[in-house]
Amino acid sequence: MTANPAGIPTEPIGSVPRPPELLAAMTAHAEGRIGDGELAAAQDDAVRDTVRRLEEIGSPVVTDGEQSKPSFATYPLTGLDGLGPYGVVIPFDDGHQRQLPRLVSGPLRYAVHADRYLRAAQRHATVPVKQAVIAPSALSLLYPPEGIDGYSRDAFLDDLSAEAEADIRGCLDAGAHVVQLDFTEARLALKLDPGGGLLDQFVALNNRVLERFSAAEQARIGVHTCPGGDQDSTHSLDVEYPALLPALLRLKAGVFYVQLASEPDPDKALGVLADHLPAHARVFVGVTDPIDPRVETPEEVRDRVLAAARHLPVDRLGTCDDCGFAPFADDTSTSRETAFAKIRSRVEGTALAARELTG
């Protein structure tokens, strides 16, 4: 992992709110008023500006801010045939919902792979670029409970595993600093099935893909968990971390990005992390809360890092934001300026803590 100058690595999770110009272009494209080329130009302008601003803040690792993704979860499905409406519904605590499409025919093939976004960001970056990909467990929800004639669930999972592997491998081969699996459905799984059976299925499927990579490759693969973050609401913050983290940490990854800034009892979660963190892994703790409109001060971030260091070895500790700031393209609940202010506080606060912890 790339460290900041003081010695503790810090990374963004992924999405940054889109600028007004891009949002206007997306609306115009959806209404047929501009073409694909004009939309692509607006997306590239937003990626360039996002990378530039992250580098100006001093972020030692950047992302494209997911400026071109329709959402963190559905980018592989863009333009894909064989989909229908009325898929799995994800309910959020404020009452709004997100609904996935439903697969109606096979075979499953990704229409878009994430290395497309990575390469676009790399054209503008002078520091390492990380790339977020959707975990295969999330896309397993596309398969309907009633099945699909001529396309079994087993065949679907074979195809999904191959496509997810290709998505990750393409980013590694393109030089991603790290490839981050977004696994927000992990905590939701325990809300839907408190017995843990669904979570175990998700972990097994993700490991089915991760085990295809060498130890050196797994060291460059991370997993992000959070209780969801959309329109300033979560879907599973009421699920306690001790029920989730031991299973999560069984994943064959070298890095774990764990939401903590918004956690009701972060010390309890840190204790579980300390007890179960694999010997080879590093954990990035969330120190800024994208859902909270108040911008954390660098000193607050510092104190959160110091609290984490009371549980975890400093040489296996990093910092991140709890979640992405706008995981769905139409989420404007947090302003672009607020997001960058929070990121600046994370970078500066991590450096403050590192000076105290590492001398």
Side-chain angles (χ1 to χ4, degrees), residues 116-134:
R116 172 191 298 188
Y117 307 113
L118 172 65
R119 294 175 193 277
Q122 287 172 327
R123 290 198 295 268
H124 304 299
T126 63
V127 300
V129 182
K130 72 182 288 187
Q131 181 59 50
V133 302
I134 189 61

Side-chain angles (χ1 to χ4, degrees), residues 340-353:
F340 283 120
K342 284 175 171 281
I343 293 168
R344 181 183 295 277
S345 287
R346 170 171 53 77
V347 171
E348 294 178 356
T350 300
L352 290 176

Side-chain angles (χ1 to χ4, degrees), residues 77-136:
L77 311 178
T78 305
L80 190 69
D81 294 329
L83 297 176
Y86 313 121
V88 170
V89 172
I90 302 171
F92 285 80
D93 293 341
D94 67 353
H96 88 275
Q97 298 178 339
R98 294 287 184 177
Q99 188 167 30
L100 295 175
R102 178 174 55 91
L103 194 68
V104 296
S105 65
L108 175 72
R109 297 290 185 268
Y110 283 17
V112 175
H113 285 87
D115 66 306
R116 172 191 298 188
Y117 307 113
L118 172 65
R119 294 175 193 277
Q122 287 172 327
R123 290 198 295 268
H124 304 299
T126 63
V127 300
V129 182
K130 72 182 288 187
Q131 181 59 50
V133 302
I134 189 61

Side-chain angles (χ1 to χ4, degrees), residues 162-211:
E163 290 295 301
E165 178 190 0
D167 208 28
I168 297 168
R169 196 171 296 283
C171 294
L172 291 175
D173 290 347
H177 166 68
V178 69
V179 180
Q180 171 190 293
L181 271 69
D182 285 328
F183 190 24
T184 183
E185 69 279 7
R187 203 163 178 172
L188 180 61
L190 284 172
K191 188 169 187 175
L192 299 174
D193 177 14
L198 181 58
L199 176 61
D200 287 342
Q201 291 177 31
F202 283 170
V203 169
L205 176 58
N206 291 338
N207 270 339
R208 175 177 173 178
V209 174
L210 292 171
E211 287 167 354

